[in-house]
Amino acid sequence: MRTVELLCSPQLEAAVRAAWDRLAAAGLPSLARNTHQTNRPHLTLASVEEFPPGAEQRLADLCDAALPLPVRLGRVTVLDGSAPLVWLVRPTPQLVALHGAVWDVLAEAPGGHSWHRPGRWVPHLSLALRFGAADRRRARAVAGAHPPAGAFVAARSYDGDTRTVGELTTAAPRSGG
């Protein structure tokens, strides 16, 4: 699996990580417990089995041209499917255009995951995975009483086979978990 992900500005990343920490401190499921070095707040634009030839450079060019993108978060909710707890991202016309352009580049990619495709995509930042039957009302109060704003400032691709990331923009994002 390969993804196209947007990374948060330092202040937005700090706000999301603080929500992760508050959830964990309250005894609720949280991504604060995921200590893998690639774990950081991000917005997934696309997920496919593999990139077609030449796609990585085209994706990098798109992201370099579009970023930074201002972002405002919406409400905290639980999505269907594997029931992640998420902070919804308010889609701007620029974000929607970038998302569509990414999928234009990946049109021939095998194994595109339908929940990221235009028309089905719900832009969000994950707070906890498999939230399921946990206390949603409490989680909303703990995590998202005051949704922060910020920007998406860089892009990366996660490789699910090697569990590594590669940068898709020339601007180097903050390193670390």
Side-chain angles (χ1 to χ4, degrees):
M1 173 194 70
R2 293 289 304 271
T3 64
V4 178
E5 302 172 356
L6 299 182
L7 300 177
C8 301
S9 60
Q11 64 273 28
L12 182 57
E13 181 168 333
V16 174
R17 286 182 180 276
W20 290 357
D21 291 342
R22 289 191 305 273
L23 288 165
L28 293 165
S30 170
L31 280 171
R33 293 182 178 92
N34 179 345
T35 59
H36 192 270
Q37 66 185 3
T38 63
N39 182 43
R40 66 185 294 190
H42 65 274
L43 172 67
T44 303
L45 297 176
S47 178
V48 296
E49 280 302 312
E50 62 185 55
F51 288 160
E56 196 158 351
Q57 184 59 55
R58 291 174 58 207
L59 292 168
D61 292 344
L62 278 174
C63 292
D64 276 339
L67 299 175
L69 273 177
V71 63
R72 287 201 44 101
L73 300 183
R75 65 187 173 91
V76 171
T77 192
V78 176
L79 297 180
D80 292 338
S82 62
L85 180 73
V86 302
W87 225 327
L88 294 176
V89 170
R90 295 181 179 170
T92 62
Q94 298 87 350
L95 179 61
V96 172
L98 176 59
H99 180 250
V102 163
W103 277 101
D104 288 345
V105 170
L106 298 176
E108 302 303 317
H113 296 283
S114 63
W115 58 88
H116 292 125
R117 289 192 183 276
R120 298 219 37 218
W121 181 58
V122 177
H124 65 274
L125 301 177
S126 296
L127 299 171
L129 302 180
R130 293 176 280 293
F131 198 76
D135 188 342
R136 294 175 186 200
R137 179 184 296 220
R138 190 163 157 238
R140 285 185 195 106
V142 167
H146 304 286
F152 293 118
V153 296
R156 72 179 186 177
S157 176
Y158 179 76
D159 183 324
D161 293 333
T162 63
R163 294 189 73 195
T164 59
V165 294
E167 303 309 321
L168 287 178
T169 50
T170 56
R174 184 183 69 76
S175 63

